[in-house]
Amino acid sequence: MSTSYKETVDPESQALLSSDNHDYAAREEPSSSGGRRTYRLRHIWLAYAAGILSAVLVELFLCSHYSIPFWPPSTSSGSAAVYADFASPDAGSTEVHNFPPASPTNAVPSLFPSDVGHAGPTPTGAEPALVATAPSYPLHTGAPHLLGPLALNRNSSSSSKSDSSFDIFKHWGNLSPWFSVERGSFGVDSGPEAPETCRVTGLHLLHRHGARYPTQWASYGGPANFSARLHNTADGWNASGQLEFMNDWTYKLGEEILTPFGRQQLYDLGVSMRMKYGFLLKNFTETNTLPVFRTESQDRMLASALNFALGFFGYPFEGQYQQSITIEDDGYNNTLAPYKTCPNARDRTKSDRAIPYVKQWADIYLKDALARLRPQMHGYELTIEDVYTLQQMCAYETVAIGYSKFCELFTEEEWKGFNYALDLYFWYDSAFGSPVARVQGIGYVQELLARLTHTAIPVHNSSTNATLDDNPVTFPLGQSLYVDATHEVVVLNVITALNLSNFAADGPLPADHIPEHRAFKSSHLAPFATNVQFQLLSCESHPDPQIRIIINDGVVPLTGIRGCPADKDGKCPVPVFVDAQREIVAKTDWNWACHGDWQVPPGPAWNTTTGDAPEPGTI
């Protein structure tokens, strides 16, 4: 913010000015002539008025921060006021705070050792086992330290009703902070705690990274793109009404790395999993081994894994586990980033089919918002895509800096619409509606089968990495605890590859309305720090070991997997589960789906609800 601005129009600075001058103008000096007294007072008032007029003219012609209309809007024509001023030259510019400093002058590490001895008593206690011993299961609300809008926009249609239980944080699709879904949300009225007569024997955990800044590229919307357009034209636009804050708004978001809240999410997730499953570590003590957790080389992926480890093991975590960091880059086989070796997954005609659906739906649900907000932007014509970006900005700013003014601009119905727009995006790009979804998740399924059966992967014919997966040190078998970190798209790929078909019940998803009671919700399946528990059980009532899949504390029915029963707790015998998944692996053709020369038409002319590529010769 410029110095001239602070000196001329900043309200906080103006509030510090003395009011003595106002008192002086009203004072009357003694006079023996009433006419002379009136003459002096008139001159004082004229001088005062001239001073005010001069200040207005100086602000009008020399400053560019606030809007001053030449005349009010015409009530007869409905036209907007003519504005003589524009936004701050800094509006839309990127604001960066580089910390820590590159060469701090007071940094003397030798005087600040981390280990000075004298630790006092250090005996440990028994491992926590909440999932096995507690009478109920703790729920995660999702958004500590974040502040939602003080009030949502109430300019909704008269037919819509305000819901006092509405939680905006649960309506941001994949940008939502993870939360415990309601019991029964996925169709099984059971909780994550061990069912009666059962005890937990193992856990395979797959989780997403925590909240991050926006990615560099966006196929629709994109906060960085919008802010750059605003900044490049700041000398020609001005905002008023609810958008007035944008006149000196700056873009405060980085790119792709974790936000402070994102770091906390993974730390908390680590603590949560230790409290629930810490007793599984006894198996490692008995076998004199260490757990091996996996992540990828991207900054946010490594930071997520290390923050999880800090929460799970505590400081210092060195010597308590081994962290495998797989390379996420072109040419490296990686089940946690399978798109790097699947060319068709980078062909937008195959892998980015969602955009026409998202655009169609945005034109519908944001129509009223555009009509409401466009008149408040002068000199810049907002589009539907711009308004959609304002909703993205709300979510990204909130998880990055704790609060966003953009959140107040929209109604509850418009936030529900935004949530569904992201459902459309991920359904058609990463889940059951994508022709390259199953093939990208199949490599992780192969690794899961190897761990469940304690046998090596027989054939590496997907995204599996033979160098790492065939090495019992980097890919151990027979352990009771595994933790893998990945991206939300891969979580959805895996859900699709496993054939958890209850989530596909409403597909293909329509782009002209929101299906009532839809099963596929990206805020439930792929929010920031989403977590999928493959829970292993030994039950007195079953001769075979059992497996359950729990996504964000919601138990998932496994009836879409051949042979798995409609169990009230979502259980399936491990041998049955393994046989069914082996069939799926055998039917999934990596070479055809990832390297085959096939095409699918855009839009509803072609669809899938299994995440499979079209069969050869079918289109």
Side-chain angles (χ1 to χ4, degrees):
M1 191 176 293
S2 64
T3 303
S4 61
Y5 167 73
K6 293 180 179 179
E7 293 175 348
T8 56
V9 297
D10 178 51
E12 186 174 16
S13 299
Q14 291 294 317
L16 300 177
L17 295 177
S18 170
S19 61
D20 290 347
N21 290 337
H22 300 274
D23 296 336
Y24 176 78
R27 293 178 188 149
E28 298 179 6
E29 293 184 353
S31 171
S32 59
S33 170
R36 184 177 180 184
R37 175 182 174 185
T38 302
Y39 176 78
R40 288 180 177 176
L41 185 60
R42 183 172 67 250
H43 276 73
I44 292 172
W45 279 110
L46 287 173
Y48 181 62
I52 293 176
L53 179 61
S54 299
V56 170
L57 291 174
V58 168
E59 179 179 353
L60 180 63
F61 292 105
L62 298 183
C63 301
S64 59
H65 298 283
Y66 284 139
S67 303
I68 302 176
F70 280 127
W71 56 77
S74 171
T75 55
S76 59
S77 64
S79 60
V82 178
Y83 282 78
D85 220 351
F86 302 112
S88 163
D90 296 329
S93 63
T94 300
E95 185 176 343
V96 178
H97 302 152
N98 289 314
F99 182 85
S103 302
T105 58
N106 65 335
V108 187
S110 61
L111 296 182
F112 298 91
S114 58
D115 185 0
V116 298
H118 307 279
T122 59
T124 187
E127 283 292 343
L130 191 152
V131 73
T133 60
S136 61
Y137 192 90
L139 300 180
H140 184 69
T141 56
H145 309 306
L146 302 184
L147 182 65
L150 300 180
L152 289 176
N153 192 297
R154 297 303 177 191
N155 291 329
S156 55
S157 63
S158 57
S159 61
S160 63
K161 298 180 180 179
S162 176
D163 183 357
S164 60
S165 65
F166 180 80
D167 186 345
I168 190 174
F169 297 126
K170 297 180 181 180
H171 290 81
W172 291 342
N174 70 311
L175 305 181
S176 292
W178 94 269
F179 57 93
S180 296
V181 301
E182 291 184 11
R183 184 185 179 103
S185 291
F186 301 145
V188 176
D189 186 18
S190 182
E193 63 275 9
E196 290 185 16
T197 78
C198 298
R199 61 182 180 87
V200 176
T201 60
L203 173 69
H204 300 236
L205 179 69
L206 178 67
H207 70 81
R208 184 192 178 193
H209 58 74
R212 55 160 172 78
Y213 294 118
T215 53
Q216 181 181 25
W217 178 83
S219 54
Y220 187 72
N225 299 333
F226 178 66
S227 66
R229 291 196 297 273
L230 288 182
H231 181 54
N232 292 337
T233 59
D235 59 351
W237 65 267
N238 168 283
S240 62
Q242 284 187 299
L243 298 181
E244 186 174 2
F245 72 94
M246 294 182 65
N247 287 325
D248 54 4
W249 167 82
T250 56
Y251 184 72
K252 301 175 179 65
L253 305 178
E255 186 177 302
E256 302 200 10
I257 64 173
L258 291 186
T259 67
F261 173 69
R263 297 197 299 269
Q264 184 215 6
Q265 282 188 292
L266 268 296
Y267 176 83
D268 287 350
L269 184 62
V271 173
S272 172
M273 290 301 161
R274 182 64 176 263
M275 294 299 295
K276 295 165 185 170
Y277 293 99
F279 66 96
L280 295 176
L281 293 175
K282 291 189 290 184
N283 299 318
F284 294 92
T285 302
E286 293 169 357
T287 58
N288 197 28
T289 57
L290 293 175
V292 174
F293 295 175
R294 298 190 304 168
T295 190
E296 302 100 279
S297 57
Q298 278 195 347
D299 185 278
R300 67 180 180 273
M301 298 309 310
L302 180 56
S304 292
L306 296 182
N307 277 283
F308 179 94
L310 190 60
F312 191 88
F313 295 108
Y315 173 84
F317 52 60
E318 290 83 0
Q320 298 192 61
Y321 86 120
Q322 299 184 100
Q323 183 69 63
S324 173
I325 306 171
T326 60
I327 296 175
E328 181 171 349
D329 211 340
D330 293 343
Y332 290 86
N333 273 29
N334 192 334
T335 60
L336 303 176
Y339 37 79
K340 292 296 184 179
T341 50
C342 181
N344 282 343
R346 289 181 285 176
D347 180 345
R348 292 185 61 185
T349 65
K350 301 178 177 71
S351 63
D352 197 18
R353 300 183 66 249
I355 298 308
Y357 297 92
V358 174
K359 288 182 177 180
Q360 180 183 345
W361 174 239
D363 286 342
I364 295 171
Y365 89 89
L366 287 176
K367 179 182 178 181
D368 290 345
L370 179 65
R372 187 172 67 247
L373 296 175
R374 179 180 274 176
Q376 301 178 43
M377 202 78 172
H378 318 281
Y380 183 101
E381 187 169 1
L382 286 174
T383 66
I384 287 288
E385 185 173 359
D386 291 332
V387 178
Y388 177 82
T389 306
L390 299 184
Q391 290 189 296
Q392 290 180 308
M393 201 80 74
C394 158
Y396 277 119
E397 281 196 342
T398 301
V399 300
I401 58 178
Y403 176 78
S404 175
K405 190 74 173 174
F406 290 102
C407 299
E408 301 175 8
L409 302 178
F410 301 96
T411 67
E412 290 180 13
E413 291 303 313
E414 287 159 358
W415 282 118
K416 292 175 183 177
F418 178 70
N419 199 39
Y420 185 62
L422 288 166
D423 294 346
L424 288 169
Y425 180 80
F426 284 100
W427 169 273
Y428 288 104
D429 271 22
S430 305
F432 299 94
S434 166
V436 290
R438 185 189 297 277
V439 72
Q440 291 186 82
I442 207 67
Y444 188 84
V445 174
Q446 289 176 285
E447 292 178 333
L448 177 63
L449 291 174
R451 290 168 167 173
L452 290 175
T453 60
H454 307 172
T455 58
I457 297 173
V459 180
H460 293 280
N461 55 0
S462 65
S463 58
T464 58
N465 188 305
T467 302
L468 296 175
D469 288 354
D470 286 348
N471 187 329
V473 176
T474 54
F475 191 76
L477 302 174
Q479 295 192 338
S480 59
L481 176 65
Y482 297 94
V483 178
D484 297 320
T486 188
H487 303 271
E488 82 271 46
V489 294
V490 182
V491 171
L492 292 173
N493 294 161
V494 171
I495 289 172
T496 305
L498 290 166
N499 202 40
L500 302 183
S501 57
N502 61 292
F503 295 120
D506 302 314
L509 294 186
D512 58 354
H513 70 281
I514 302 176
E516 189 175 5
H517 308 304
R518 69 191 185 279
F520 184 89
K521 294 183 180 181
S522 53
S523 59
H524 284 186
L525 302 176
F528 284 130
T530 191
N531 51 95
V532 182
Q533 301 177 35
F534 297 89
Q535 189 184 71
L536 301 181
L537 302 165
S538 175
C539 303
E540 297 176 4
S541 54
H542 298 280
D544 292 319
Q546 303 289 304
I547 186 170
R548 295 202 301 171
I549 298 178
I550 301 166
I551 302 177
N552 297 324
D553 293 340
V555 180
V556 179
L558 303 184
T559 49
I561 300 171
R562 189 188 62 79
C564 288
D567 184 83
K568 67 181 183 63
D569 293 307
K571 303 189 301 296
C572 180
V574 170
V576 174
F577 179 89
V578 167
D579 287 345
Q581 295 302 324
R582 282 174 172 166
E583 287 184 8
I584 292 174
V585 170
K587 292 178 181 178
T588 305
D589 189 340
W590 172 272
N591 286 331
W592 170 249
C594 282
H595 298 273
D597 184 15
W598 51 268
Q599 299 293 328
V600 291
W606 180 89
N607 264 309
T608 176
T609 56
T610 61
D612 287 307
E615 293 289 336
T618 57
I619 60 172

